[in-house]
């Protein structure tokens, strides 16, 4: 990991907390009084959560943060920031881990390290209309991974940088890489739309062209993961033809 940290993005605030229930909850409390974008980093969360309210277990030394900002777009467009964030996470992890790390992005936005889940992303909207805030929660297993028993059967096992590579940055150091990377991809998205983000994401995607299972709330579909479309939906080619899946749990 380089000792020369990137420049912190202009006009973006930073708040570091020793302990909080969750950075997402803190962001919700801050939103009514916040003037501009802010990264909220917690060294300890007592009630962190992931998708569908699942608990997010973060051993000491892991990265738990949320980015609160106004995207100024409709909810469907705001949801595409999950791909922006995944690319930023992938870049930051590449910078701190070096070439020995084998990284890939699992649809829609988990980052895999040597085939194991090293990070997760959660998006929540606060408020309505063009003045609504978007809160992006980011968890990264830097120092340790939760036990394999904490994930459902068949899910990808969690891993950490320290356990996999023998070293890890501190949460504050990792944020110094993630915030500029996010700003770069977010600027690209705001300027040129989703097309270049989609191209960059596909170049880093795990299991493109291979057989996967996609489980929605009521059904499970199997097929070849062909691509993602302009809305970010996964295109799956199965026995019944091609289908677009906008939300699902993916199993390899």
């Amino acid at each position: 990991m380089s000792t020369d940290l990137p420049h912190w993005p202009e006009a973006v605030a930073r708040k570091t907390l020793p302990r909080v229930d969750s950075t997402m909850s803190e962001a919700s409390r801050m939103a009514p009084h916040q003037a501009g974008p802010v990264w909220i980093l917690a060294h300890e969360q007592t009630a962190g959560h992931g998708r569908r309210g699942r608990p997010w277990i973060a051993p000491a030394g892991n990265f738990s943060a949320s980015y609160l900002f106004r995207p100024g777009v409709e909810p469907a467009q705001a949801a595409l920031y999950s791909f922006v964030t995944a690319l930023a996470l992938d870049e930051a992890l590449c910078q701190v881990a070096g070439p020995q790390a084998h990284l890939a992005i699992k649809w829609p936005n988990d980052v895999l390290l040597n085939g194991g889940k090293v990070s997760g992303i959660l998006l929540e909207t606060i408020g309505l209309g063009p003045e609504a805030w978007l809160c992006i929660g980011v968890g990264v297993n830097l120092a340790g991974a939760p036990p394999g028993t904490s994930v459902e059967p068949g899910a990808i096992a969690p891993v950490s940088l320290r356990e996999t590579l023998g070293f890890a940055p501190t949460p504050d150091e990792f944020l110094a890489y993630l915030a500029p990377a996010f700003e770069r991809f977010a600027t690209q998205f705001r300027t040129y739309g989703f097309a270049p983000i989609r191209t960059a994401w596909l170049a880093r995607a795990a299991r493109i062209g291979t057989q996967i299972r996609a489980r929605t709330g009521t059904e499970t579909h199997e097929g070849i993961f062909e691509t993602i479309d302009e809305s970010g939906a996964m295109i799956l080619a199965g026995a019944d033809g091609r289908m677009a899946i906008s939300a699902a749990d993916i199993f390899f």
Side-chain angles (χ1 to χ4, degrees):
M1 184 178 70
S2 172
T3 56
D4 296 325
L5 298 178
H7 292 294
W8 185 262
E10 293 183 13
V12 175
R14 173 171 29 184
K15 180 177 183 178
T16 302
L17 301 167
R19 192 168 188 262
V20 73
D21 48 0
S22 80
T23 58
M24 300 295 277
S25 296
E26 180 67 10
S28 184
R29 291 188 288 266
M30 290 174 61
H33 317 288
Q34 187 65 27
V38 57
W39 277 99
I40 305 161
L41 173 67
H43 289 159
E44 180 186 357
Q45 288 190 128
T46 60
H49 65 280
R51 293 177 61 238
R52 300 178 183 173
R54 296 165 179 159
W56 181 266
I57 301 171
N62 280 5
F63 182 83
S64 300
S66 293
Y67 184 54
L68 179 67
F69 70 111
R70 283 192 173 103
V73 295
E74 294 301 319
Q77 284 292 106
L80 295 175
Y81 272 98
S82 66
F83 296 90
V84 171
T85 310
L87 286 170
L89 259 177
D90 177 79
E91 180 175 292
L93 285 164
C94 283
Q95 289 175 317
V96 301
Q100 66 268 49
H102 298 287
L103 296 160
I105 305 174
K106 175 178 174 283
W107 184 87
N109 54 33
D110 292 339
V111 179
L112 307 183
L113 170 63
N114 292 0
K117 180 175 176 176
V118 73
S119 72
I121 297 167
L122 177 67
L123 271 65
E124 292 181 355
T125 301
I126 303 170
L128 299 171
E131 294 301 306
W133 292 88
L134 181 63
C135 186
I136 304 176
V138 179
V140 185
N141 299 330
L142 297 177
T149 53
S150 66
V151 300
E152 60 183 303
I156 293 176
V159 299
S160 75
L161 255 71
R162 186 176 301 282
E163 293 162 346
T164 304
L165 304 176
F167 64 90
T170 67
D172 297 84
E173 289 170 338
F174 187 75
L175 180 58
Y177 286 93
L178 177 60
F182 179 89
E183 189 60 30
R184 186 169 71 81
F185 284 110
T187 298
Q188 187 180 56
F189 179 44
R190 290 192 298 265
T191 305
Y192 302 106
F194 185 56
I197 297 297
R198 175 178 177 269
T199 298
W201 189 95
L202 286 169
R204 302 294 297 160
R207 299 301 181 97
I208 286 280
T210 67
Q211 186 87 7
I212 64 164
R213 284 186 296 123
R215 190 178 70 198
T216 64
T218 57
E219 298 178 313
T220 298
H221 305 280
E222 294 191 18
I224 302 297
F225 175 18
E226 287 192 344
T227 187
I228 61 172
D229 66 14
E230 291 74 15
S231 71
M234 167 183 281
I235 304 302
L236 194 68
D240 299 325
R242 300 170 80 242
M243 67 177 67
I245 297 174
S246 58
D249 290 319
I250 302 301
F251 301 88
F252 299 153

